[in-house]
Amino acid sequence: MKKLRIIMVGALAAGALYVVGPSTATAAPAPRALPAAQPKTGPGWHSPTPTTDLPLRVLARRHGLGVGTAINVTALANDTAYRERAAREFSAVTAENVMKWESLEPTRGQYNWGPADELVAFAQRNGQKIHGHTLLWHNQLPAWLTEGVADGSIDSAELRRIVKNHITTVVKRYRGKVRSWDVVNEAFTDDANPVLRDTIFRQHLGPDYIADALRWAHAADPTAKLFLNDYAIDGINPKSTAYYELAKELRKRRVPLHGIGFQGHLDLQYPLPIDAPQNLARFDRLGLETAFTEVDVRYFLPTDTYKEAGQVGSFNTLLSACLLTPKCVMFTVWGFTDKYSWVPEWFEGQGAATPFDENLQPKPAYRGLQQVLAVASDPNRRRGF
Ligand code: G3I
């Protein structure tokens, strides 16, 4: 309880908590003068102290927690400030795009390892672990593959060989370098009764393609932790329950599934998944690792202090859920700066979804993450990150 209380104090760092008791006064009290506007003493109106103003990776270390970011490899090559921040703040990295199939094998049989290798080298230079993203996803597939399946020149038997070969080739190349893989990404539908998404993999390899993919990846690197990863499963809902049932079944069959990735793409216009701790706990009880893998919190621009406060609370709700879960190994943001975030391109009018602004300066969301990591008690150092 003590731990929960302290973490929740951090989660509420966005604003004040007022407790109003029953009124015993007979006459209305004279209205008090409004307090003077708070001085803007620092970024986010919050002056960090020396014990909290430390890089996230340093603050997360005593919890045994990896703190990661998606990396835009073009920015990594061209933007010094971006490179320095990425190295300073994070102990884990995920390729935003360059480990996806269309990027790795744009032409059949010809692998384009360069960008992914650059990211791996960067991570190794900076003592960062790598979360591999992603082996099988219905988006960002190479045209030769989707067109071949569509026109029938690649039949089901051949697709099975191609998929097995892809997983084996990629996982072997990064064996011992990539800590964990999103083996299948976004496998379920979003409706009230989620079912396996109708992808080319589901259609041609059958519903057990997930188990097959996990086994192939495990054979290629028995030390890598193998994850399923999806969005809109942060709280308890039909989709996260579908994952829970699948995970339970795969574990029972001794299929090598080691973790579930909760993407954590939040949007201030929708309810916050405040039951994330209970949701992660049920996967934890199955013996699985858990991780927030793609956290960002978008909203409609322009920014105001209400939205900033909502964003602080949203980031901190997910971070707190992770800290409360013994085997939650990693908290990763989907880009750390608004300068390169995917959000404005995909959601018209929305943005500002990351912890650093376009000039790579810390926002209140960043200060909130620092606060929670700094004040949360009872660190669980045995997460295994
Ligand atoms: O590769 C082309 C390039 O050839 C072309 O010149 C350029 C021109 O715009 O576009 C490039 O493609 C872009 C691609 O990323 C690779 O950089 C697309 O336009 C762009 O829309 C695409 O977006 C990515 C998106 O996945 C694709 O689905 C985002 O950057 C990336 O953040 C996003 O990441 C996903 C995760 O993988 C899974 N979970 C959801 C998350 C957000 O959608």
Side-chain angles (χ1 to χ4, degrees):
M1 267 326 281
K2 186 174 168 218
K3 175 176 161 190
L4 177 65
R5 236 183 4 254
I6 293 179
I7 288 174
M8 293 320 289
V9 168
L12 289 164
L17 178 66
Y18 295 97
V19 179
V20 181
S23 171
T24 52
T26 49
R32 277 188 289 169
L34 285 173
Q38 285 191 17
K40 287 194 179 190
T41 50
W45 306 14
H46 166 78
S47 301
T49 66
T51 48
T52 59
D53 195 12
L54 293 168
L56 300 178
R57 65 184 293 176
V58 174
L59 294 168
R61 201 178 291 146
R62 77 188 177 90
H63 301 287
L65 176 74
V67 58
T69 181
I71 291 285
N72 175 325
V73 171
T74 309
L76 198 66
N78 301 321
D79 185 335
T80 307
Y82 179 90
R83 199 163 48 241
E84 288 174 357
R85 270 280 180 212
R88 180 183 142 84
E89 295 291 341
F90 300 99
S91 54
V93 290
T94 304
E96 185 171 0
N97 286 300
V98 299
M99 285 190 181
K100 293 171 181 172
W101 199 339
E102 78 167 0
S103 174
L104 288 178
E105 197 185 7
T107 306
R108 187 168 179 181
Q110 290 180 24
Y111 277 85
N112 165 43
W113 298 114
D117 284 356
E118 276 171 39
L119 177 63
V120 171
F122 174 80
Q124 289 182 332
R125 278 200 301 280
N126 293 294
Q128 295 164 319
K129 293 190 180 168
I130 301 161
H131 182 70
H133 177 79
T134 170
L135 297 170
L136 288 191
W137 189 27
H138 56 280
N139 282 333
Q140 291 178 282
L141 288 171
W144 61 263
L145 181 68
T146 49
E147 286 165 12
V149 171
D151 69 19
S153 60
I154 295 175
D155 66 14
S156 297
E158 194 176 0
L159 182 63
R160 173 171 284 272
R161 282 193 297 275
I162 291 171
V163 168
K164 182 178 179 186
N165 181 54
H166 172 70
I167 291 176
T168 305
T169 305
V170 176
V171 175
K172 272 195 173 159
R173 181 176 184 88
Y174 297 116
R175 178 158 52 187
K177 296 179 177 166
V178 165
R179 178 193 182 276
S180 48
W181 278 104
D182 289 333
V183 177
V184 182
N185 192 42
E186 300 174 6
F188 277 95
T189 59
D190 281 326
D191 37 59
N193 294 303
V195 291
L196 284 184
R197 204 183 274 273
D198 193 23
T199 65
I200 57 169
F201 310 117
R202 163 79 183 75
Q203 284 165 8
H204 294 273
L205 309 185
D208 220 24
Y209 83 92
I210 294 177
D212 291 336
L214 289 162
R215 290 195 191 101
W216 294 330
H218 187 61
D221 182 355
T223 64
K225 302 286 185 187
L226 305 180
F227 277 65
L228 303 178
N229 187 55
D230 215 321
Y231 61 87
I233 59 167
D234 312 302
I236 295 180
N237 58 39
K239 193 174 174 184
S240 62
T241 298
Y243 269 96
Y244 178 67
E245 295 302 333
L246 174 65
K248 207 160 59 175
E249 184 216 315
L250 292 173
R251 297 287 284 177
K252 203 161 129 201
R253 290 168 54 201
R254 300 195 174 278
V255 174
L257 171 69
H258 309 119
I260 302 292
F262 304 82
Q263 292 185 5
H265 291 291
L266 302 185
D267 181 333
L268 284 191
Q269 71 183 307
Y270 301 122
L272 183 60
I274 49 175
D275 55 356
Q278 291 91 328
N279 188 36
L280 266 62
R282 59 183 177 159
F283 291 93
D284 198 80
R285 285 194 294 271
L286 292 180
L288 291 165
E289 290 192 348
T290 50
F292 286 103
T293 51
E294 307 186 11
V295 182
D296 51 19
V297 183
R298 61 184 183 268
Y299 55 78
F300 285 95
L301 300 172
T303 292
D304 62 33
T305 49
Y306 290 89
K307 296 174 192 171
E308 280 183 326
Q311 188 178 59
V312 172
S314 301
F315 271 105
N316 285 358
T317 294
L318 298 190
L319 176 59
S320 302
C322 188
L323 289 174
L324 286 164
T325 308
K327 287 185 294 295
C328 184
V329 287
M330 186 179 77
F331 179 88
T332 284
V333 294
W334 203 242
F336 63 91
T337 163
D338 295 340
K339 190 172 180 182
Y340 301 112
S341 168
W342 71 293
V343 168
E345 188 193 331
W346 286 74
F347 299 93
E348 206 184 332
Q350 290 190 280
T354 79
F356 289 86
D357 69 16
E358 302 218 339
N359 300 313
L360 285 86
Q361 293 309 302
K363 292 161 50 176
Y366 172 77
R367 298 297 178 201
L369 294 173
Q370 281 183 311
Q371 284 294 327
V372 170
L373 289 171
V375 304
S377 66
D378 191 19
N380 182 338
R381 294 192 186 81
R382 295 169 64 199
R383 291 171 198 278
F385 174 75

